[in-house]
Amino acid sequence: MKSEKINKKYPKKFTDLINKIREYNPQVEKDIPLLWKTYNFAKKGHGEQFRLSGEPYFEHLYQTAIILTELSMDTTTICAGLLHDILEDTEYSKKIISNEFSETIANIVEGVTKISDIKFNSQEDKQANNFRKMLLSVAKDIRVIIVKFADRLNNMRTLKSMPKSKQKRISLETRDVYAPLAHRLGMHKIKSELEDLSFKHLQLKQYKFLKKQVLKNKKYFDEYIKKFKKIIHNSLNENQIKTKILGRTKNLSSINKKMNIQNKDLDKIFDILAIRIIVDKLSDCYAVLGIIHQQFKPIAERFRDFIATPKSNGYQSIHTTIIGPEGKNIEIQIRTGKMNKIAETGIAAHWKYKETSKDMDEIDKKILWLRELIDILKNDPNNSEDFMETLKIDLFKEEIFIFTPKGDLITLPKNATTLDFAFAVHTDVGLSCIGSKVNSRIVPLNTILSSGDKVEILTSNNIKPSYNWLKFVKTNRAKSRIRRWFRKNEYIESINLGKEILDKKLRQAKMADKIKIISKKYKEMGFQTQDLFFQAIGKGEITIKGIIDKVCKEKTIIDNEETKNKPFFPRFYKSTSKGVTVQGVDNVMVNFGKGCNPIPGDDIVGYITRGKGITIHRSNCKNIPIKEKELDRLIEVNWDKNIDYTFYSHLTILSENRNGILQDISNTIQNMKTSIASISMNSEGTIAQGNIIIIVDNLKHTKNVIKKIKKIPGIIKVKRI
Ligand code: MN
């Protein structure tokens, strides 16, 4: 009695929907409250929105749900179908949908929204395939794709009210992406209708012509099929086989394809006639086949047994083409009821069969249909290659699909960065890449991309690749291009550096007149070419003193000149090897690491650079440009025991902003007999921030200065950087 009462308050539209579900799912009763809630939520949510056709927007959602019932979909999917445009067109968030309904429904709706954002506009075959793969990888839950098919089918049915340009784009996308995907998933009915509708909108003239032709012959075809069905029916009855015989003409787009391929006109294409015989049992399929072949001559090369060898999408059926009455070819398909369901709805049918187990884990649900495909296919190892193709539908978790600004798709491995994308576009783009925009927002080059991102690369002629890049690029292509660039440019760089060093040092030694002569003595130094000679100088493998000792008679004291150079700071400190001993190496070029400025007392480590000698860093320095593979570039270095050089130490100070604080700091430092190389304070409200560079002997010296500064009233923090 209670349910009767409820029934009365439902509008007819809703009752129709429930009745459609009840046809395949008798347990729908318990889902009615949820469906009713969803129905109203969608209706209210889209409220006053109308489609271009003038229909209320809700009509589109309702029809999408109806299509889903024709695919025997579960309640979750039908709810998602009703809500599929709610995120896109209303203020409701995913969170609200998740709270009001369920996370699964919210995820499916979000998936459909994401897919709808992706617009296909390429004519290239390869792109279409990437596109299909991307849709599947973005979808994650196969039900997203099924809802999208229903959405698209309704949109195609109502495409007329759209502007012409949009009609064309959507039809192309339907023809090149969705219809083949539906075919792939074995959803034959959807595929045929999508194909016919896009054919209609893309080639209206041809479509109309064919339709007219078929209609003109319809009466004849219908009569013919009727007669033929009767013949078969009688002989099957004699053999006591229960069958259902369906006769049809093929869909217009496949007739059109056939005409184009065979270059024939309609009259010559006989096999637009097709008969489908549906039987109860698998063994009946072969019995029926035998009976038909006894009566009519088969065309041997057109015979296919997809029961013994199912198609990769799970399709099973026997196909045979026979020469029927009046010499016309008729294609006959023989299959069981279950095979027919799978043939028409494909993946969706698999979905229905597994709905029985209710509390299944989402992941299990997702792979179950794959397992069913495996079951169908495992009896036929010959099909395994084809099968792997199918399996990939769910296996491109390892790939992501990225759009160029022009809408082309580029496939990259999972976790690839914008820089990988740049190198995938073109090596030159990668090498001059300075930044990137992902979905119109500027992001760093190491940003990890995800499927469906639209990426634009910003380039500059002034940029050079950085070693740092090798730390985060994922693709081998990017890695090898970057390495190749370094190999080539380091070589050139060290040659130039070698020339410079030779030139500079000889001038300092007042031997400028010898530059040309010495440059030509590379063979005496044991080098085959002059470039290799310069390179060795640049890399610090040979010293100028060594060269002069060997090739000049005059002995010159050359290795002292650098100590006369005043170190340049604060930008960075350059020194000779004085002050530091490098393990096992004599007379090498030594630099102190930028920004890290080690001073005696610091724990230090040497890094063998490519072309610039050895750089000394504090061992805890974050700037050591090191990759794990290059640990052999690190070398042990030590401070000389007796150093009488001075070093620079950089301190930052945070203090209260009060009068005279700068004076107090500089007095304190000077009272410690310490020189200040530079001092500056910036105040911001009540706080002041200072940068001071002092000249010190060693770490202890720096620490003492810090201690004293900390005692000045108002000082908050003092730190060496
Ligand atoms: Mn829609």
Side-chain angles (χ1 to χ4, degrees), residues 57 60 84-85 151:
Y57 199 88
H60 166 60
H84 81 265
D85 280 325
D151 169 50

Side-chain angles (χ1 to χ4, degrees), residues 51 57 60-61 64 84-85 89 112 116 148 151-152 155:
R51 306 204 95 197
Y57 199 88
H60 166 60
L61 308 168
T64 301
H84 81 265
D85 280 325
D89 297 337
V112 177
S116 308
K148 186 62 201 173
D151 169 50
R152 177 53 57 106
N155 282 337

Side-chain angles (χ1 to χ4, degrees), residues 280-298:
D280 288 342
K281 300 194 299 274
L282 191 140
S283 57
D284 287 349
C285 293
Y286 294 98
V288 169
L289 180 72
I291 292 162
I292 288 170
H293 279 184
Q294 264 174 26
Q295 229 167 332
F296 299 100
K297 189 177 184 298

Side-chain angles (χ1 to χ4, degrees), residues 437-486:
K437 280 183 181 175
V438 173
N439 305 325
S440 306
R441 274 176 46 200
I442 292 188
V443 298
L445 286 177
N446 60 357
T447 303
I448 290 173
L449 297 170
S450 41
S451 247
D453 281 344
K454 190 170 136 188
V455 181
E456 187 186 336
I457 295 298
L458 312 169
T459 59
S460 159
N461 291 332
N462 299 322
I463 195 80
K464 279 183 185 170
S466 139
Y467 268 112
N468 198 34
W469 288 7
L470 288 168
K471 283 186 196 159
F472 61 77
V473 290
K474 293 287 178 316
T475 53
N476 290 330
R477 182 187 167 90
K479 273 182 194 156
S480 71
R481 297 297 193 278
I482 295 167
R483 288 211 184 98
R484 189 191 296 168
W485 187 91
F486 275 115

